[in-house]
Amino acid sequence: MLRDITIGQYYSADSVLHRLDPRTKLVGTLIYLVSLFLFATPLVYVPATLFLMIVIFSSKVPFGYMVKGLKPVLFLLLFTVLMNMIFVKGEVIATIWKIEITKEGLKQSLLMGARLILLILGSNVMTLTTTPTRLTNAMESVMRPLKLIRVPVHEIAMMMSIALRFIPILLDETDKIMKAQMARGADFESGNLVKKAKSLIPVLVPLFISAFRRANDLAMAMEARCYHGGEGRTQMKPLRYTGRDYAAYMILLLYLAGVIVTGKYSTEVLDWIGVR
Amino acid sequence: MMENMKLIADHLVYEYNKGTNQTVRALDDVSFVIHPGEFLGLIGHTGSGKSTLVQHLNALLRPDGGTIYYDGADVFEKSYDRKALRGKVGLVFQYPEHQLFEETVFKEVCFGPNNMGLDIKEVEQRAYAAIARVGLTEECLDQSPFDLSGGQKRRVAIASVLAMQPEILVLDEPTAGLDPKGRDELLSMIMDLRETEGISIVLVSHSMEDVAEYVDRIIVMDKGKILYDDTPKVVFAHAKELEAIGLSAPQVTYILQDLKSAGLDVDTTGITLAEARNTILEALHWKG
């Protein structure tokens, strides 16, 4: 059950995307996310979806596995879509009980839904194809200029990588604890909300204890290896751009240009393909 | 015939990481039977599928193929009460840290029977009995389970399952990390449990000595399959094959084999310390 959560998890495979420099992927993801918010016309979702499909395909991560990552945010997704559908005012096309569904609301909610899905899938591609260590390396490197204004960049990156590293460990642990309690007759599914919340105590107590113990052990292990923060620290595998990365940046720029063109001239584009 | 088979595992198949490129077949067509009152040993190298298998016995994991019959009923049938099954097939996990959460040992042990919906009197009665059963003293009752030693924590974990009064008790590596004294105490406690209560026991273990000493029957797992399912004597006669899959025969068996090749006429099928002593004494006696 808990194993189904794929957000923030690495999927090991050998693809072009896996071999890209993590900085490229980080910047690329940022550009992609920004591109989704540049224009409000539905037409930009055509290049955006197309681009994402190609990227997902080239990542060699099974599409089903990718979509599983949407599961935990399904509620948020439905909530956003429903809220938009109900509360946006405009031309009424249907009335259910006292709720008026408007044309604008429907359009808005579909846009929002599509945007959220692309947003999540887009960032999922990055985390699925990049190990947490490489990802935080990339963050550290991208944020380096902030050091000038005394932002503890290395420390932040280290904290991020530890947090990311702990997600699968704690998920695994939660799974084990839940099983151990279920073996003693615990029931996490039935009952009302209060009962359900109460039934989580036997899971949360061992989980917190184990998290603290792990944190303690980790701190000790880091001390034992003389870790003392970022000052003068070098990396075993420093990040280096290769031809592949420059090519990726070119493709990204082309995509961005494509989005801007479709967004800016959406009416003309629609005219041109003859739909309207 | 059915009443002679408490639990039947019928062609179980289970895979991890389904739908990815790292699918692992943890169980591959596993079938066996647990008889009432039987002491069964389950051995295998790390990753052989032992732990996956025991989690099927009380329906914590749902197999991808095959099923389990308990008292003749298919436990993966939709209407089957799997929560009640977990009271009958008590599973004690390896790490007590994964389940201790209450303020006192007594409350901890009450957790299981409480979940079965018994009335408070019955719950407390069972808890007291289970705590006494595993050899914990009365001072422990009001102690925090987190203040106990490793061996005591394990006893608390076993007591909390015993308090549900299972018909089959499954113990996943109960002796791992215990000192020899703690190990012997725990195992003889389990042995005693079987003799007085008549419940079946499944002991998952790494230690060939433990298994040879106590169990009636051994199941050897390798790469998700059952390699042997027989009495300890028969299984440990295959010392070479066991070594090939990262296991071994008990130490005394090797000593007996060495003695034999050194010219002492001993019976090399001995697998426990007592058997070894007898056959060595006998051989020396005949010689002398």
Side-chain angles (χ1 to χ4, degrees), chain B residues 68-88:
Chain B
I68 295 215
Y69 297 97
Y70 188 81
D71 277 341
D74 184 346
V75 306
F76 292 107
E77 201 123 273
K78 217 170 181 178
S79 58
Y80 194 89
D81 185 359
R82 279 177 284 278
K83 205 179 140 190
L85 174 75
R86 287 173 195 142
K88 290 183 216 154

Side-chain angles (χ1 to χ4, degrees), chain A residues 22 37 54 71 207-208 228:
Chain A
F37 287 95
I54 295 168
K71 240 196 222 163
L207 188 64
F208 270 93
H228 63 94

Side-chain angles (χ1 to χ4, degrees), chain A residues 43-95:
Chain A
L43 204 61
V44 292
Y45 292 102
V46 177
T49 313
L50 222 64
F51 179 71
L52 191 64
M53 285 298 150
I54 295 168
V55 169
I56 289 177
F57 180 74
S58 63
S59 74
K60 288 190 186 166
V61 179
F63 191 68
Y65 195 80
M66 192 80 78
V67 173
K68 265 206 302 193
L70 286 174
K71 240 196 222 163
V73 282
L74 199 65
F75 177 74
L76 180 74
L77 201 65
L78 286 176
F79 186 75
T80 322
V81 168
L82 268 177
M83 282 297 129
N84 273 295
M85 195 138 59
I86 293 167
F87 289 113
V88 174
K89 298 267 173 280
E91 187 187 327
V92 180
I93 47 168
T95 315

Side-chain angles (χ1 to χ4, degrees), chain B residues 213-231:
Chain B
E213 183 86 34
Y214 295 100
V215 309
D216 308 323
R217 204 176 108 215
I218 297 180
I219 290 179
V220 183
M221 300 262 314
D222 181 42
K223 293 185 193 114
K225 284 188 195 300
I226 289 185
L227 201 62
Y228 298 110
D229 179 355
D230 220 318
T231 58

Side-chain angles (χ1 to χ4, degrees), chain A residues 58-258:
Chain A
S58 63
S59 74
K60 288 190 186 166
V61 179
F63 191 68
Y65 195 80
M66 192 80 78
V67 173
K68 265 206 302 193
L70 286 174
K71 240 196 222 163
V73 282
L74 199 65
F75 177 74
L76 180 74
L77 201 65
L78 286 176
F79 186 75
T80 322
V81 168
L82 268 177
M83 282 297 129
N84 273 295
M85 195 138 59
I86 293 167
F87 289 113
V88 174
K89 298 267 173 280
E91 187 187 327
V92 180
I93 47 168
T95 315
I96 303 163
W97 191 46
K98 273 179 187 167
I99 302 161
E100 290 174 341
I101 292 172
T102 64
K103 198 177 159 194
E104 283 77 6
L106 204 62
K107 194 178 145 196
Q108 182 79 8
S109 63
L110 286 180
L111 267 181
M112 274 302 206
R115 190 177 271 174
L116 265 178
I117 290 174
L118 291 178
L119 209 69
I120 293 159
L121 285 183
S123 31
N124 255 2
V125 170
M126 175 177 70
T127 48
L128 281 170
T129 59
T130 321
T131 59
T133 355
R134 276 170 67 80
L135 198 60
T136 41
N137 275 353
M139 277 182 195
E140 192 179 345
S141 151
V142 169
M143 293 195 301
R144 191 159 294 150
L146 292 179
K147 255 190 181 161
L148 290 177
I149 51 166
R150 302 219 173 168
V151 178
V153 173
H154 171 81
E155 281 72 13
I156 292 174
M158 183 51 105
M159 281 192 268
M160 298 261 314
S161 69
I162 291 174
L164 279 175
R165 182 70 196 84
F166 267 55
I167 291 172
I169 293 179
L170 290 181
L171 277 180
D172 209 48
E173 199 117 309
T174 313
D175 197 51
K176 280 186 184 147
I177 294 170
M178 283 177 90
K179 275 184 184 157
Q181 305 301 26
M182 274 159 79
R184 296 199 291 164
D187 189 351
F188 302 113
E189 268 117 46
S190 60
N192 56 24
L193 207 61
V194 179
K195 212 179 153 205
K196 264 190 195 164
K198 256 188 164 168
S199 75
L200 283 179
I201 294 173
V203 177
L204 291 179
V205 173
L207 188 64
F208 270 93
I209 290 171
S210 126
F212 280 119
R213 206 194 53 233
R214 275 179 195 282
N216 223 346
D217 289 352
L218 182 70
M220 200 106 83
M222 284 167 87
E223 292 254 279
R225 293 199 242 168
C226 304
Y227 176 80
H228 63 94
E231 208 56 49
R233 205 175 155 75
T234 56
Q235 283 176 331
M236 192 159 125
K237 287 176 188 159
L239 300 172
R240 257 188 216 104
Y241 279 131
T242 60
R244 186 182 303 130
D245 297 297
Y246 297 119
Y249 274 121
M250 284 312 290
I251 294 170
L252 262 170
L253 279 179
L254 279 177
Y255 159 72
L256 197 61

Side-chain angles (χ1 to χ4, degrees), chain B residues 39-151:
Chain B
F39 200 150
L40 183 67
L42 186 60
I43 60 175
H45 199 251
T46 314
S48 60
K50 293 171 297 183
S51 291
T52 311
L53 179 58
V54 293
Q55 289 175 39
H56 281 83
L57 300 182
N58 65 351
L60 279 178
L61 289 178
R62 178 175 280 274
D64 295 315
T67 190
I68 295 215
Y69 297 97
Y70 188 81
D71 277 341
D74 184 346
V75 306
F76 292 107
E77 201 123 273
K78 217 170 181 178
S79 58
Y80 194 89
D81 185 359
R82 279 177 284 278
K83 205 179 140 190
L85 174 75
R86 287 173 195 142
K88 290 183 216 154
V89 182
L91 171 58
V92 185
F93 279 93
Q94 182 174 358
Y95 298 105
E97 288 80 9
H98 282 152
Q99 49 176 271
L100 303 181
F101 74 99
E102 278 286 12
E103 296 147 53
T104 68
V105 168
F106 183 67
K107 279 190 190 167
E108 184 72 46
V109 177
C110 286
F111 182 69
N114 238 334
N115 285 330
M116 296 170 75
L118 304 167
D119 71 279
I120 188 78
K121 234 182 183 160
E122 173 82 13
V123 168
E124 296 193 344
Q125 221 164 25
R126 283 182 174 204
Y128 279 122
I131 289 170
R133 192 74 257 197
V134 298
L136 285 169
T137 52
E138 240 169 80
E139 298 94 73
C140 289
L141 286 177
D142 292 322
Q143 258 181 308
S144 161
F146 301 104
D147 293 338
L148 301 177
S149 71

Side-chain angles (χ1 to χ4, degrees), chain B residues 65 74 237 243 280:
Chain B
D74 184 346
E243 280 164 29
I280 290 173

Side-chain angles (χ1 to χ4, degrees), chain B residues 147-169:
Chain B
D147 293 338
L148 301 177
S149 71
Q152 283 174 315
K153 275 184 190 164
R154 208 153 284 184
R155 279 161 195 262
V156 173
I158 295 174
S160 73
V161 169
L162 270 185
M164 297 195 293
Q165 300 189 343
E167 294 166 1
I168 298 179
L169 181 65

